[in-house]
Structures are given as structure tokens and as C-alpha cells.
Amino acid sequence: WEVIRGVLQDSWGSNKPLLSEYQVSLWAYFLGVLYHIFGFQPFIGISINMVLGSLLPINLFLITRLLLNKELTHKGKITAMSFFTFFPSLFLWSIINSRDVCIIFLFSVFILISFSLKKHFPLFLVLSFIISLIIFSFRFQLLLPMLSIILLFILLKWFDAGYYMMKVFFTPVFVFLLLMLPVIFLNLDVKALLERVFLSAANIQKGHILTGGSVYYILPPHYYDNLSNLHLSFFDYIIMFLKGWFHMLFEPLPYRIKTILALMSYPQHVIGVFLLPFSVYGIIIATHARRLNAFMAISFIVIIGTVIALNSGNVGTIFRMRDMILPYLLVFSSIGIDRFFFAMNKPL
């Protein structure tokens, strides 16, 4: 906190840009200001996380309800709230001084706002951009994915039947973009752009690998020796995507359990893997019940999950970063478990 306070004082005195100069998240500056005012009190940050961590299960339960036409059964509600409240890693992040709970909570608010897009479209635009900027200040690499999700959500709503005002408003914009696509693709080297994106992800992953510890590769190891002159094939893109998602979902693999901490975390991992089929079943149920909301939630999981999968290479880091999308896998798991065990014959 002394370093952060010094950075703040130095910046105020010399007009240096805070975020771009030091690449420190807003959470660190926020804590630095509080510590500068109140002295070094770590419980300040922890108490904020405890409040947000306590509110997160409520948001997740509301999201679950908005994915269904019928409420969960009584046993299904208990199961869902148990997952949302006591899932070990989500509970742990709520009682330590970390920015992760803030990001996870903001994601849940964003999803809730997105589901209310029909009635509160202007409010959605304003709040979603504000949330995206706050998330950007916490993790810089999440800004473009968030903006892409906002645009995708708008398009999903636009294509959904019955949203006449949005169609009147966005039809000219959509037609203009459609007419501009040939011009864009004729003047843009799409392959080169795609290669830059994936090589940038590979460079970030290489940084994780070089930190040591338990690491993994999503490209052949010799590729990382000369990334600046590397040209990826379409097959390489597929391999990066599939291996990235595999490691994100299934790390730590059993042979990587070499420490007491990893061993203590493994039961949660086993439970998470066990819940994956119920997540898939829950997605099927939700797409039949509330198609649009389900597609929006799935799109969010895929986009944010892909960013995490392609930009990680350390097992400990991916275990923590996976919790950005874990709550929504738990949401769909709760729906799947409720339908499979408690409400098999009830209508959607």
C-alpha cells in the first residue's frame, strides 16, 4: 500500500496517467486511496468483497428465475442457493482482499440488466457501458469482449420477434453495416487480423508459462520460441481454441496435484466436472423455456470463457480466472439438476 500511495502522490504531482503508466488495476488504486485516508486496514477491501459476495447469490438466483417460465421446485431452490452461496472458491474470494469478486458481481449485474433490455433499452446501454468501463479498469483485456457482448446482445434482441421499436431504430444501422461488409472485407486482411489476435493471446500465455509453477501449453512448445515470426494455420486456431477450453474446464488434471493446496482444491474441481453434464442439460431446458435469455447467457459464457482460455497458461491462474464464468455454469447446473431429479414431468 505504501507503493500505491507513492504512485498516487507522484502522479498527482506530475500529471502522469495512472492506468496507462503503471498498468495497475483500479482496485489497487481504490485500496491505495482508502489506506492513505484510514491507514493500512486490510479489512476494508475484505469487507467490500464480503458484501458483494453476499449479494452475488441473490443475483444468480434472479438470473436463474429469468431463464425459466416456471420457478424451480422447493428442493431445486435450496440446491441452487447452496451452490451459489457455499461453492468453495466463490466463498473464498469473498473473504480475501482481491478484485475478482468485484468483477464476478459486476458480470452478474450486467446479465440481469441484459435480460431487462426489452423494457429498459436506454438504461441497458448506459449501465452496460459503465459496467464495461469499470471491468476494464479492473482487467484491461476484458473491454473489447464486453463491448462485443453488448453488440451481440443488441443483435439478438433485434432478431427476436416482437421488438418493433428496436427494429425501427436499428434497421437502418443494420442495413448500413450489411452494405459496408464487402468494403470492409475487401480492404481488410482478415487472416492477418485473426493471426494478430491469436498471437497476442499466445504471447500473454507465454508470459504465464514463464512465471513458472504448474503450466500448460495450448500450442506446441517450440512455437513459443519465435512468436514474432510465427504464422498460424486454420488448424492451429482450432487447436488453440479446443486446448484452451479443455484446460480451462479440466485443470488441474490429476497428475498436477503436487501440493497440499492443490489437493485441498481438488474436491471442488471434481464436483465441477460432475456438474458439467447438468449444465448442458440446463442449457437445453433454458433454451426451450426462455430462448433469448438463454442465448444471451450462453454467448456471455462462450466469449468471456474463450478470452480466459486463450490468455492463460498457469494452472493456478486458470483455476482462479475460471470463476469468472463458473457462476453461470452453476446456474445452468441448478436448472438441470432441478429438472432431472425434482421436476422431470413438470412443464417448462
Side-chain angles (χ1 to χ4, degrees):
W1 80 274
E2 286 286 356
V3 173
I4 294 172
R5 186 171 67 175
V7 167
L8 287 170
Q9 291 172 337
D10 183 44
S11 182
W12 287 333
S14 60
N15 294 319
K16 292 179 182 177
L18 292 179
L19 292 177
S20 60
E21 179 76 14
Y22 294 97
Q23 292 293 297
V24 178
S25 75
L26 183 65
W27 177 252
Y29 287 113
F30 176 65
L31 292 181
V33 171
L34 293 179
Y35 293 165
H36 184 58
I37 296 172
F38 300 107
F40 181 55
Q41 301 290 339
F43 186 72
I44 294 174
I46 296 173
S47 62
I48 295 172
N49 283 341
M50 289 173 65
V51 172
L52 297 181
S54 299
L55 294 174
L56 179 64
I58 299 174
N59 284 359
L60 296 178
F61 186 76
L62 292 174
I63 289 171
T64 305
R65 291 189 62 180
L66 291 172
L67 285 167
L68 297 170
N69 291 322
K70 302 285 186 178
E71 289 194 10
L72 297 174
T73 63
H74 180 67
K75 292 181 179 179
K77 291 177 182 177
I78 294 175
T79 302
M81 287 304 292
S82 298
F83 283 157
F84 303 155
T85 307
F86 300 113
F87 209 77
S89 60
L90 295 178
F91 185 82
L92 174 64
W93 309 140
S94 300
I95 57 174
I96 64 174
N97 204 340
S98 168
R99 58 186 166 172
D100 295 313
V101 169
C102 295
I103 299 173
I104 295 170
F105 178 78
L106 286 171
F107 278 155
S108 70
V109 174
F110 173 75
I111 294 293
L112 281 176
I113 292 171
S114 303
F115 286 175
S116 63
L117 180 58
K118 177 182 178 181
K119 298 179 180 178
H120 309 288
F121 181 63
L123 183 62
F124 162 77
L125 285 180
V126 173
L127 293 181
S128 60
F129 279 115
I130 291 174
I131 290 172
S132 297
L133 289 175
I134 297 174
I135 291 173
F136 162 71
S137 70
F138 285 158
R139 289 199 181 277
F140 309 112
Q141 67 269 35
L142 289 177
L143 178 62
L144 287 179
M146 284 299 295
L147 295 179
S148 302
I149 290 169
I150 292 171
L151 178 60
L152 180 60
F153 281 9
I154 291 172
L155 291 176
L156 285 173
K157 285 284 187 179
W158 187 85
F159 282 112
D160 196 65
Y163 292 84
Y164 301 111
M165 291 304 295
M166 286 189 61
K167 289 185 178 181
V168 169
F169 182 78
F170 279 104
T171 296
V173 178
F174 183 73
V175 171
F176 173 77
L177 291 175
L178 198 61
L179 294 174
M180 288 298 294
L181 279 179
V183 179
I184 294 172
F185 278 97
L186 286 174
N187 292 277
L188 181 66
D189 190 339
V190 178
K191 184 178 184 301
L193 177 62
L194 189 64
E195 191 169 83
R196 281 202 302 272
V197 170
F198 274 80
L199 285 178
S200 175
N203 269 300
I204 295 173
Q205 205 226 359
K206 181 179 179 180
H208 284 283
I209 292 170
L210 292 176
T211 59
S214 185
V215 300
Y216 59 87
Y217 298 86
I218 59 175
L219 282 172
H222 66 273
Y223 276 37
Y224 296 90
D225 296 335
N226 191 17
L227 286 175
S228 59
N229 295 320
L230 183 66
H231 295 287
L232 298 174
S233 66
F234 180 75
F235 180 73
D236 290 325
Y237 299 144
I238 300 298
I239 291 298
M240 285 185 71
F241 179 83
L242 294 178
K243 288 185 70 175
W245 268 90
F246 172 82
H247 286 289
M248 185 183 68
L249 291 175
F250 298 109
E251 290 288 358
L253 298 173
Y255 69 88
R256 297 189 194 275
I257 306 299
K258 299 177 181 178
T259 66
I260 296 297
L261 187 60
L263 184 62
M264 290 173 62
S265 68
Y266 202 67
Q268 170 187 307
H269 178 59
V270 173
I271 293 172
V273 172
F274 171 76
L275 291 177
L276 279 178
F278 292 104
S279 296
V280 175
Y281 186 43
I283 288 172
I284 295 171
I285 297 299
T287 52
H288 282 82
R290 293 282 187 93
R291 178 188 60 190
L292 183 59
N293 287 355
F295 283 160
M296 293 167 78
I298 295 166
S299 301
F300 175 85
I301 292 172
V302 170
I303 292 175
I304 297 298
T306 299
V307 171
I308 295 170
L310 295 181
N311 287 277
S312 300
N314 182 280
V315 173
T317 301
I318 198 66
F319 184 87
R320 180 166 53 88
M321 295 296 293
R322 180 169 58 209
D323 283 358
M324 300 291 172
I325 63 169
L326 173 66
Y328 312 101
L329 295 177
L330 293 178
V331 164
F332 285 117
S333 294
S334 301
I335 294 172
I337 288 173
D338 181 66
R339 173 62 51 173
F340 188 81
F341 289 106
F342 310 129
M344 178 65 75
N345 298 318
K346 290 189 177 181
L348 299 177

